[in-house]
Amino acid sequence: MVLDICGLSKSFGKVKVLKNINFRIDTPRLIALVAPNGSGKSTLMNLICNLETIDEGEITVWISIKGIRNL
């Protein structure tokens, strides 16, 4: 699985919670998301899980099922 986050931004009203977030996870591994309270960790996870709408940017998930790569 590959997770690509490109230019991701999210606001709630006038409060910009995430601004231009970019990263890529391209190998199976254990990842920890560590940051201070109120920094947008839950919002980021909600966006990845499609529980919130993205204001700007894009999230792409590439998966491989039974050895066949879906792009």
Side-chain angles (χ1 to χ4, degrees), residues 11 24 31 34 37 42 50-52 55 57-60 64-65 69 71:
S11 297
R24 179 183 179 116
I31 302 292
V34 180
N37 290 344
S42 294
N50 202 32
L51 299 174
E52 293 280 352
D55 291 343
E58 158 176 299
I59 297 172
T60 306
S64 176
I65 300 173
R69 189 169 187 143
L71 302 177

Side-chain angles (χ1 to χ4, degrees), residues 17-62:
V17 179
L18 300 173
K19 183 179 178 184
N20 197 30
I21 303 296
N22 297 283
F23 68 87
R24 179 183 179 116
I25 301 170
D26 60 0
T27 56
R29 61 179 69 196
L30 180 63
I31 302 292
L33 185 59
V34 180
N37 290 344
S39 61
K41 299 179 299 293
S42 294
T43 299
L44 176 60
M45 295 307 295
N46 287 338
L47 291 169
I48 291 170
C49 294
N50 202 32
L51 299 174
E52 293 280 352
T53 57
I54 298 169
D55 291 343
E56 295 177 34
E58 158 176 299
I59 297 172
T60 306
V61 179
W62 308 65

Side-chain angles (χ1 to χ4, degrees), residues 63-70:
I63 60 171
S64 176
I65 300 173
K66 295 184 182 179
I68 298 172
R69 189 169 187 143
N70 292 331

